[in-house]
Amino acid sequence: MKRIVLDVDTGFDDGVALLLAAASPQLELCGATVCHGNAPLSVTLPNTRRVLHAGGFPQVPVLAGIDRPLAREPIVGEGIQTWRMEYDGPSEASEPTHAVAWLIDWLRRVQEPVTLVPVAPLTNIARLLTEAPDVCGRIERLVIMGGALQGGNTNAVAEFNIYADPEAARVVFQAGVPITMVGLDATRQAPAGDAEVARIRAVGTRAAGLAADLIDEALRRARQRGRDGVQIYDACAVAAVIDPSILTTVPMYVDVETRGELTLGQTVCDVRNRLGHAPNVDVAVGIDRERFLDLVIAAFSGL
């Protein structure tokens, strides 16, 4: 069983990722640290607590983290990602300790390397790595939902999580910790629609039902904007922790653009090794959609 912590800015796909991680027999979700991002921390924090409580996992510690980027004014997502969830359950963090302090203490106490799964702007993780560089050796891998090799969703080249705090992302990518980048190139290959909602709902568990509700609501709102099908971005990263072989990855040197007028937040992937640096990231260029969906169903089924 892999021990993980999810770092989230809970909109709909973070909610599905949290439920998937908590339900999977292959993972032990040791905590959820919360960041600004899809919405302000005042929204993402209660969303996180309520999703875990409504899904049947009130025991998972929830920690409030940083409410703004390292060096910029906050931005927020749009549409379904800014959804304020109104499920029954406590809205506050379950732990009074700050997320970064909790991560530092937890990593210093664990006996074996663990996996961190940041699916939000990388502010919390950057602060962790700069304030406590001694814990880097306790992190087996960062499996990040963020970035893009080709084409962004916020500007022409940048994915939202990286764009929301490019300075933090640059710190993380240059920290020397093993990284898998599950970006838009992979997540675009695994959209979900009505058939996938039906398969997840048919599992019949509390967590699966809530995950199906989240995706169904995302689909409803997407159709209002002329889109049919949604990407469950963050669930792809969790699934890749359960079974890394669902991804096709290529090792590359990756840096982050922090000053570009048109390219702010771009994950600059040196595909042809023009810079001559050793690869620092395993960049996901593909995902096996059917195996991904089968894995989601199996995890929610407790298999």
Side-chain angles (χ1 to χ4, degrees), residues 22 106 113 173 182 184 189 273:
W106 182 70
F173 278 83
V182 186
L184 299 180
Q189 298 177 34
N273 197 27

Side-chain angles (χ1 to χ4, degrees), residues 14 28 56 72 76 79 86 108 128 151 159 169 186 209-210 220 232 250-251 266 291 293 300 302:
D14 304 71
E28 179 186 355
R72 299 176 182 271
V76 297
E86 300 296 342
R108 285 174 175 166
L128 164 69
E159 179 275 330
L210 180 55
R220 185 185 70 79
I232 327 172
V250 178
Q266 180 181 12
R291 287 181 60 209
L293 294 169
F300 279 125

Side-chain angles (χ1 to χ4, degrees), residues 43-300:
V43 174
T44 60
L45 180 63
N47 279 359
T48 304
R49 194 76 191 103
R50 287 168 174 159
V51 162
L52 285 168
H53 189 274
F57 308 105
Q59 76 282 2
V60 176
V62 174
L63 297 301
I66 300 173
D67 64 355
R68 60 187 301 110
L70 293 182
R72 299 176 182 271
E73 290 300 310
I75 64 168
V76 297
E78 58 183 29
I80 185 66
Q81 296 293 22
T82 63
W83 182 17
R84 186 183 298 270
M85 299 174 186
E86 300 296 342
Y87 302 117
D88 290 337
S91 61
E92 70 281 359
S94 62
E95 299 287 339
T97 309
H98 190 277
V100 175
W102 182 88
L103 277 168
I104 292 170
D105 178 67
W106 182 70
L107 286 165
R108 285 174 175 166
R109 288 187 290 107
V110 292
Q111 299 301 309
E112 70 285 335
V114 296
T115 299
L116 302 185
V117 189
V119 295
L122 289 165
T123 316
N124 285 338
I125 306 304
R127 283 279 298 275
L128 164 69
L129 298 177
T130 53
E131 290 186 14
D134 60 290
V135 305
C136 290
R138 301 295 183 94
I139 301 171
E140 182 175 15
R141 182 164 290 268
L142 297 172
V143 181
I144 295 171
M145 191 284 120
L149 182 62
Q150 296 182 341
N153 63 357
T154 304
N155 61 25
V157 292
E159 179 275 330
F160 175 81
N161 284 341
I162 307 300
Y163 182 86
D165 195 344
E167 285 79 14
R170 193 169 203 211
V171 168
V172 172
F173 278 83
Q174 295 184 348
V177 177
I179 294 173
T180 298
M181 185 179 97
V182 186
L184 299 180
D185 309 275
T187 62
R188 285 175 175 141
Q189 298 177 34
D194 290 335
E196 288 69 45
V197 170
R199 284 187 67 191
I200 295 170
R201 194 179 303 284
V203 171
T205 64
R206 181 173 172 181
L210 180 55
D213 287 345
L214 288 169
I215 301 170
D216 199 34
E217 177 64 14
L219 281 167
R220 185 185 70 79
R221 298 189 185 203
R223 289 185 181 116
Q224 292 176 348
R225 303 170 67 188
R227 295 167 48 207
D228 190 17
V230 293
Q231 297 176 54
I232 327 172
Y233 305 92
D234 299 343
C236 293
V238 173
V241 178
I242 298 171
D243 183 1
S245 72
I246 66 170
L247 298 178
T248 300
T249 62
V250 178
M252 301 181 199
Y253 178 77
V254 180
D255 204 342
V256 178
E257 178 57 64
T258 60
R259 293 183 292 178
E261 180 181 353
L262 301 177
T263 58
L264 181 66
Q266 180 181 12
T267 43
V268 181
C269 302
D270 191 6
V271 178
R272 295 176 179 82
N273 197 27
R274 299 296 191 190
L275 300 175
H277 296 310
N280 61 340
V281 177
D282 291 315
V283 177
V285 297
I287 187 169
D288 186 324
R289 180 174 182 269
E290 293 309 312
R291 287 181 60 209
F292 162 67
L293 294 169
D294 288 346
L295 184 153
V296 169
I297 298 301
F300 279 125

